[in-house]
Amino acid sequence: MSDIIQLLPDAIANQIAAGEVVQRPASALKELMENAIDAGASQVQVLVKEAGKMLIQVIDNGKGMTMTDARMSFERHATSKIRSSADLFAIRTFGFRGEALASIAAVAQVEMKTREKGAELGTLIQIEGSEIKKQELVSCQEGTSISVKNLFFNVPARRNFLKSNPVEMKHLVDEFQRVALAYSEIGFNFIQNDMELYNLQPGKLSQRIVGLFGKNYQGQLVACKEETPHLNVRGYVGKPENSKKTRGEQFFFVNNRFIKSNYLHHAVANAYEGLMPSDMHPFYVLFLEIDPSHIDINVHPTKTEIKFDDERTVYAVIRSAVKQALGAHNVVPTLDFSLDVNFTENWKYDSGKRQEINLENTLVPDDLAKEKSYKSFQNPSFKKQSVSGWEKLFEGGTGLSEYSQKITREDEKDFLTFPSKASEELSRPSLDFGKLEESTGTTFQVELNYIIGQMSTGLLIIDQQAAHERILYERYSRQLSQASGASQQCLFPPHVQLAPGDFALVMDIKDELHSLGFVLVEFGKDTLLIQGVPADVQVTNEKALFEGLLEQYKHFKSELSLDKRENLARSLAKKSSIKRGIKLNTQEMETIVAQLFSCQNPNYGLSGNKTFVKLDIQKIQAFFNR
Ligand code: ADP
Ligand code: MG
């Protein structure tokens, strides 16, 4: 029998490779844009017609090619970007496989015009289905222009397989956005059927985001920055209220290369826990910088997947960076648009220092802190008042003075201060706004739902239930992590008979319940005796409280898949918070105000709803200006 194995002709090999590299117009666009950037362009222009099916053209002002290189660039495995396998592990450029142009030229009609900087003439090459049709000297701009016409003209099956124009257009825009985000210092424009969709000036990342997604992102961006020996994170995340029900505006870049990773997405989503309903998706554009030897980007030909050698550290760093950012934005509610995370040195990774910053953040929402004149609050008589049921609700029935001693004993940093008898000693100037004064009467309630407070720059409107849920949630979370919840003994310990499944559930979270202050004793089969409940919960019916808590816990468990502690803290906060429609006296209201602004995240309730809004004097004035 004669030998039957033959090497494939190049044209066919290229066509096969094209199947991997060029799936649709958007993949060709991506390759061309990346080549332009690799060539050092500062301005990149994209033109498409018929969603790229008729034309995709990318024009750059990069370094251009000599005639020989121009010819070579269409050969398979021809690249100027790596020379040895060692280079594979230190990849900093986009391309490296040297197969993009060869693949594209195998399945389209391609025309390239390119001229090196300083060269007198440039080169024109026309190539169709891997066949060179024309090669000549031309006069053209410096840089490179490549047009890809009639993609898949010679592969009808694939051409027919392309989706409708709107769908292909969406893919093109997605690719364009990713590249444009990663290179805000490069100018881009995008023209579709002679209509300009984007015209992006070189600038900062924040400006690029606004250029791509619209002006309303301006006030919605929170800078995020974290530097560790292992990796650096920088970028922006959206405020929780800017999150959306649909995914699509989430961008991770590793060493400036767009990647997709559910695992890392989870790290970000996790940082929003408690700030946003779990079915919502936050906006983010995050750049990770990591030593290329710790990653493998070569796992997929389209290269949006990546492997890290230490995925868990990456997860932890991202989560903490985003958490920090969201905490910090309480201090800077609206991003100063002239600043940019690329260029401002906020702080370096330094846990000691960070903690301090954190403390400031948690205590002083800046515009309130500036409000030295949020004056309703200082009142020496406050401490003299008897301990009301309300204070008991807040302070575990210990009364304010004991509470304040507790604060001074405990790590003050963790335990957020509350105006009290000791407020003179404890006071920091920045806490002025948090001191209560009953007599001024500037705090009042509207519709039994909203607490209105006065600042010299306007009014503060607080949703009482959302605020109280936030306060309690943070308190219970703290108690759970410190196992510090105090108990109040039940005078007549009720017993609760549970379904076997519920009983098992309670057994599973029994330590956590104990940390919160529940004292439960097994009392025969599937039955519990409730001997104590958390001290700071005002209860008339311990059994109802416990059963309600269990129901809430089960509900969150099935809806949100929270971890035990998170779930318990939320459930109990929900169950024991004051509700809308409850009348509050001045002191109660002011306690809520003070405690809310001692929270780590005062801005949001448990489902991402706002806890308060400010009505600035300017806004008030605007109502009356004609
Ligand atoms: P890769 O980018 O993986 O090297 P390509 O097929 O995309 O492979 O490109 C092949 C080579 O052609 C590149 O290595 C580069 O030297 C050259 N090239 C491609 N596009 C451009 C461009 N816009 N400007 C300058 N050189 C380019
Ligand atoms: Mg390339």
Side-chain angles (χ1 to χ4, degrees), residues 31-32 34-39 58 60 62-65 69 72-75 78-82 94-103 112 114 143-146 303:
E31 295 295 338
L32 297 180
E34 290 181 349
N35 280 348
I37 287 162
D38 284 344
V58 173
D60 69 56
K63 66 180 180 218
M65 283 174 265
D69 281 352
M72 273 296 282
S73 70
F74 290 105
E75 295 294 325
T79 177
S80 55
K81 296 165 195 173
I82 52 173
F94 271 124
F96 58 87
R97 295 166 158 258
E99 57 191 9
L101 287 185
S103 302
M112 173 196 278
T114 182
T144 304
S145 158
I146 299 181
K303 292 173 275 183

Side-chain angles (χ1 to χ4, degrees), residues 474-527:
E474 292 200 4
R475 174 173 316 148
Y476 296 141
S477 298
R478 206 162 50 231
Q479 288 176 355
L480 279 165
S481 62
Q482 298 169 349
S484 61
S487 283
Q488 53 181 323
Q489 227 191 343
C490 302
L491 273 182
F492 305 101
H495 65 263
V496 206
Q497 166 94 46
L498 296 168
D502 289 353
F503 187 81
L505 186 72
V506 173
M507 287 300 112
D508 183 44
I509 55 176
K510 129 174 145 284
D511 293 345
E512 286 79 11
L513 286 167
H514 186 75
S515 297
L516 285 170
F518 283 98
V519 182
L520 305 172
V521 181
E522 280 185 62
F523 194 69
K525 186 170 162 18
D526 295 340
T527 305

